[in-house]
Amino acid sequence: MIVDYLPHGRPDDTRPQYQKAALAYALETETFDLLELTLTEDADVNIVDRIPIDEAADDAVIEDVTDIEYDDLSNSGVSELEYAVEAIIDADEQRFVDFYNDAQPISLRLHQLNLLPGIGKKLRNKIIDKRKRQPFESFEDLADRVGGLHNPKEVIAERIMEELRDEDLKYKIFVRNDEA
């Protein structure tokens, strides 16, 4: 998903305009990798567009793909990132609801659910108890059945943003961990 589009390349690139390629910053929807895309001359993309990264695609508009860190994003890219994360969650709600259904212990003292902002031991135990009886079907179902968990979608979005911003985070649930 495109989070920023720079039709005239990077502002800090001092080469003449005709030598600079159009760029886009993107968020990969499965692994939440941050990417810098060098685009073809005829590329027509907009913020929040979803474009195939596969170079073999017939309508490929990407010449080069580079993995980047959060700090490499443009200011506009940083601003749009949270909206992109929410759009990805909305487009594949079941995937993220299933995280609540399937989360497991990491160690004897730590559970994956405890990595989510605002979820402590009591709330974690409520979630586990309710999912044993019946798996959650949606964020709404989750919020209705687990008292104290008011906006489960926002909790996931907040965790993804934390994982994108902090490359030294010990446990990453949603963002691909390059060291793994």
Side-chain angles (χ1 to χ4, degrees), residues 29-132:
T29 58
E30 290 300 314
T31 61
F32 291 98
D33 283 332
L34 291 170
L35 307 170
E36 179 181 274
L37 310 174
T38 305
L39 304 173
T40 61
E41 281 185 32
D42 58 341
D44 182 25
V45 299
N46 292 301
I47 293 176
V48 306
D49 281 357
R50 291 175 183 244
I51 58 172
I53 302 293
D54 182 11
E55 293 163 11
D58 290 338
D59 56 348
V61 294
I62 301 170
E63 285 183 4
D64 190 38
V65 177
T66 306
D67 284 333
I68 60 170
E69 300 295 326
Y70 179 84
D71 293 336
D72 298 327
L73 280 174
S74 64
N75 289 339
S76 296
V78 168
S79 299
E80 290 295 324
L81 193 57
E82 198 166 333
Y83 299 111
V85 167
E86 289 176 8
I88 291 168
I89 293 169
D90 286 340
D92 196 3
E93 180 177 339
Q94 194 57 52
R95 167 184 166 196
F96 298 98
V97 170
D98 284 343
F99 173 76
Y100 286 101
N101 286 325
D102 302 332
Q104 298 296 315
I106 295 171
S107 68
L108 290 173
R109 296 184 178 271
L110 185 63
H111 196 283
Q112 285 179 319
L113 290 170
N114 293 119
L115 298 176
L116 297 176
I119 296 187
K121 193 191 276 188
K122 283 184 177 181
L123 200 48
R124 175 200 68 207
N125 290 342
K126 280 185 187 179
I127 293 168
I128 292 170
D129 182 48
K130 298 290 184 182
R131 77 181 189 188
K132 281 180 186 174

Side-chain angles (χ1 to χ4, degrees), residues 69 106 110 112 114-117 155-180:
E69 300 295 326
I106 295 171
L110 185 63
Q112 285 179 319
N114 293 119
L115 298 176
L116 297 176
V155 169
I156 297 268
E158 196 175 321
R159 177 62 192 193
I160 292 169
M161 288 300 298
E162 183 180 350
E163 290 180 21
L164 287 168
R165 283 191 293 265
D166 187 354
E167 63 186 67
D168 295 329
L169 214 53
K170 184 172 182 178
Y171 298 107
K172 292 194 174 188
I173 311 168
F174 302 103
V175 176
R176 185 185 73 192
N177 191 350
D178 292 328
E179 287 77 48

